Amino acid sequence: MAERSQDSLVAVVMAGGRGTRFWPHSRNARPKQFLAIAGTETLLHQTVRRLDGHVPPERIFVVTTEDLAAETRRMLPELPAENVIVEPEGRNTAPCLALALVQIERKVPGGVMAVLSADHWIGDREIFLEDLDLAVDHAQSAHELVTFGIRPTYPETGYGYIESEGKGPVLQVKAFREKPPADVAMEYLESGRHYWNAGMFVWTLADFREGLEKHAPDVLAPLDAWTAAGAEPSALAAAYGQLPKVAIDVALMEKAGTVAVVPTRFRWSDVGSWPAAIEFHQADSEGNVTRGDTLLLDTHNSAFFGGKRLIAASGVENLIVVDADDALLICHRDRAQTVKQIVERLQAEGRADLL
């Protein structure tokens, strides 16, 4: 199975996101995937190197936006420069993956595409590769679109869910479920049939094309016309501007007649906010996580991500403090999701120097 996947497998890493919930460390020019949030390497490096020895560099492609392309190439010198596929603008995941399709299918005819996110953390590399090979084998033999389902460990309300049916290592998708309220999330957790939707996929290039042609022709047709006209880089922006801003789940997966799901066995995190990042660091006896120069007195259950200067705290608890050269974030641990609103406020006030 592994040999077959290596012969035909193409990895597409989506790397155009911003990760605004990690402000002030994440910025427009230094988004979440460029940060070493979960370990010593950046999330982008971890995603690509997780494939070492399994997918050759010439078959690893990274899709990102024009303003991030140069830094992405600099960070990944092992990849051919042309393997960094550049979107003229971000238009959500369906256009992103359609652009990857029309560029890759000419280079790797008959290939199988694995879609990964550049800003997720995955533990247990060998188990991840085994689950990946299982998905590749099923995509090739059954000609179904395959997604990965993360086994829920708590009733998360911020994720979409996949409801499954059947038995075996590969199940059928009964339905995609929207982000649920707390009581429904608890029902999903207890059912044993529901999985978190992590937005990772495997499909043959031919089946992906067929699915887009049938269910989302408005996502594919302008790119096919661009390719037929010679795929001139200067003409891509005009073609891309015609595409709808739509997620691949909405454009294709929810409409496709038969979709399979691999219930994953590896540890996973979308590293969605500062509290998620805290989980990757060892807390001290008072429940505090510290990076950088800190001095704490009577301080509990807090996290301090320092910069060049000392952070001193006394008599506080349940705080997140993040220091950058030009900005300081202080928020309650329970309010970390509102960091995105801070970024939106800065945008509204024209504070481009802090974005």
Side-chain angles (χ1 to χ4, degrees):
M1 188 183 299
E3 183 178 353
R4 187 194 304 181
S5 70
Q6 284 186 326
D7 285 345
S8 59
L9 182 57
V10 172
V12 174
V13 178
M14 297 184 293
R18 299 296 170 174
T20 53
R21 291 183 179 88
F22 282 96
W23 186 89
H25 281 184
S26 63
R27 303 294 176 95
N28 286 339
R30 191 178 68 245
K32 171 184 165 187
Q33 62 269 22
F34 289 179
L35 302 179
I37 296 171
T40 58
E41 285 191 313
T42 70
L43 291 171
L44 176 60
H45 279 117
Q46 290 182 38
T47 302
V48 172
R49 289 176 184 164
R50 194 172 294 126
L51 300 167
D52 280 355
H54 206 75
V55 183
E58 62 269 19
R59 290 199 193 140
I60 299 175
F61 297 82
V62 179
V63 187
T64 191
T65 50
E66 193 167 1
D67 58 330
L68 301 178
E71 180 63 11
T72 299
R73 291 188 178 105
R74 188 197 67 79
M75 292 177 66
L76 300 172
E78 65 270 31
L79 302 188
E82 63 271 19
N83 281 26
V84 175
I85 298 173
V86 181
E87 293 183 278
E89 59 177 308
R91 299 190 72 82
N92 215 318
T93 53
C96 164
L97 295 176
L99 177 61
L101 171 68
V102 299
Q103 298 207 29
I104 293 171
E105 61 187 350
R106 295 175 297 161
K107 301 177 180 179
V108 191
V112 183
M113 178 193 294
V115 178
L116 308 172
S117 293
D119 58 358
H120 292 176
W121 173 87
I122 290 175
D124 314 302
R125 175 180 180 270
E126 292 304 317
I127 297 176
F128 161 75
L129 293 176
E130 290 175 5
D131 284 352
L132 178 62
D133 279 345
L134 179 64
V136 169
D137 187 60
H138 187 84
Q140 287 181 310
S141 60
H143 290 283
E144 293 182 336
L145 308 178
V146 184
T147 186
F148 290 91
I150 307 297
R151 299 177 189 275
T153 53
Y154 59 93
E156 172 62 56
T157 60
Y159 299 152
Y161 283 73
I162 300 166
E163 183 178 358
S164 68
E165 58 185 1
K167 295 182 179 180
V170 182
L171 307 176
Q172 292 300 306
V173 173
K174 182 177 181 180
F176 289 90
R177 303 298 185 185
E178 298 298 325
K179 298 174 182 179
D183 58 335
V184 176
M186 181 58 72
E187 293 177 8
Y188 289 172
L189 176 66
E190 294 173 348
S191 76
R193 302 188 313 275
H194 292 79
Y195 299 88
W196 290 336
N197 184 357
M200 298 185 293
F201 312 98
V202 173
W203 41 54
T204 70
L205 296 178
D207 290 332
F208 184 39
R209 166 169 285 281
E210 181 179 341
L212 289 177
E213 289 176 341
K214 181 177 180 180
H215 299 291
D218 54 343
V219 175
L220 188 58
L223 293 174
D224 278 342
W226 169 70
T227 302
E232 290 295 330
S234 59
L236 178 58
Y240 216 69
Q242 301 176 44
L243 306 184
K245 295 182 178 181
V246 60
I248 193 65
D249 289 293
V250 175
L252 175 60
M253 302 302 284
E254 294 176 3
K255 298 176 181 177
T258 305
V259 179
V261 56
V262 172
T264 60
R265 298 170 297 136
F266 51 81
R267 293 170 295 153
W268 171 89
S269 171
D270 73 338
V271 200
S273 61
W274 282 114
I278 292 170
E279 299 300 317
F280 293 96
H281 302 278
Q282 184 68 42
D284 64 18
S285 60
E286 302 298 327
N288 298 311
V289 166
T290 59
R291 288 184 67 179
D293 194 5
T294 57
L295 193 158
L296 308 181
L297 301 175
D298 191 26
T299 293
H300 309 281
N301 300 319
S302 296
F304 301 89
F305 295 89
K308 296 179 180 179
R309 54 189 168 181
L310 168 72
I311 297 179
S314 179
V316 301
E317 61 183 12
N318 296 320
L319 290 184
I320 295 174
V321 178
V322 185
D323 192 17
D325 291 346
D326 56 353
L328 177 67
L329 170 69
I330 304 172
C331 72
H332 194 279
R333 286 182 72 147
D334 292 341
R335 299 280 291 169
Q337 295 294 336
T338 64
V339 172
K340 183 177 182 180
Q341 297 174 25
I342 294 175
V343 175
E344 292 170 351
R345 183 77 167 268
L346 291 171
Q347 290 173 330
E349 296 180 359
R351 298 297 305 272
D353 57 314
L354 296 174
L355 298 173

